[in-house]
Amino acid sequence: MAHNLMGYSAFAVAVLRKFSPTYSVSEIIQYVAELRKALLGEESLEVNPRVAEGLIRDVLQDKTLTDTPPFGADNETMAKTSFVVLLDLAHDADLAGPSLDEFLRESADYARRWLEAQRAGDAEEQSTIS
C-alpha cells in the first residue's frame, strides 16, 4: 500500500506543479494529446486519454468532472497511464539534485496528508456507527 500511495502522491504533486493554481480543461486535453503523439510507436507506453484526463482533473479537484475513477478502465490501464504521465511530467520538470529532493519531500508530505485525511474519515465513520 505504501508503494502505491507514494506513486500516487508523486503523480499528484507533479500534476499540481504543472497545472495549478489555474488550468483549463482544454489545457489538460492538449497536454494529453501531445503526450500521446510523442509516444506514437511506443506500444508499451500507450496512454488512455479518458483515464489520463480524468486522473489529472481528479487531482485538481475539478468540480466539472462528472466521471469517477477508474474512468471505465481496469487497474492495469490506470496504473500504466498514471505512471507514463508521471514520467513525462517529471522529465519536463527536469528534476535533479535539490529540485528532486524537494519533489520527493512534497510527495511524502502529500502522502502524509492523504493518510491523515483517510484516518480522520475512518474515525468519523466509526463514531457515527457506534
Side-chain angles (χ1 to χ4, degrees):
M1 180 177 161
H3 178 267
N4 289 341
L5 178 55
M6 279 306 297
Y8 175 77
S9 296
F11 173 83
V13 167
V15 165
L16 291 167
R17 282 181 165 199
K18 167 104 177 145
F19 294 102
S20 71
T22 60
Y23 69 93
S24 68
V25 173
S26 62
E27 224 180 322
I28 294 168
I29 292 169
Q30 184 64 37
Y31 166 76
V32 171
E34 288 173 12
L35 175 60
R36 293 181 73 224
K37 278 188 222 173
L39 296 174
L40 281 177
E42 296 288 334
E43 290 178 25
S44 64
L45 297 177
E46 291 177 11
V47 171
N48 179 312
R50 178 180 175 193
V51 172
E53 292 165 15
L55 285 168
I56 292 168
R57 292 174 66 193
D58 190 55
V59 165
L60 296 168
Q61 298 179 347
D62 183 340
K63 303 293 185 221
T64 66
L65 179 64
T66 57
D67 207 356
T68 58
F71 309 106
D74 58 24
N75 287 336
E76 182 179 344
T77 300
M78 290 280 291
K80 185 187 251 184
T81 300
S82 64
F83 185 69
V84 172
V85 171
L86 171 58
L87 286 177
D88 183 65
L89 292 175
H91 175 74
D92 287 351
D94 196 25
L95 298 173
S99 64
L100 177 58
D101 292 341
E102 178 60 28
F103 177 79
L104 293 173
R105 267 191 298 279
E106 281 183 51
S107 298
D109 288 345
Y110 187 99
R112 260 187 236 97
R113 289 190 310 272
W114 186 90
L115 270 176
E116 288 169 5
Q118 293 303 305
R119 288 180 182 146
D122 289 347
E124 186 177 312
E125 185 176 314
Q126 283 298 326
S127 69
T128 58
I129 293 173
S130 300

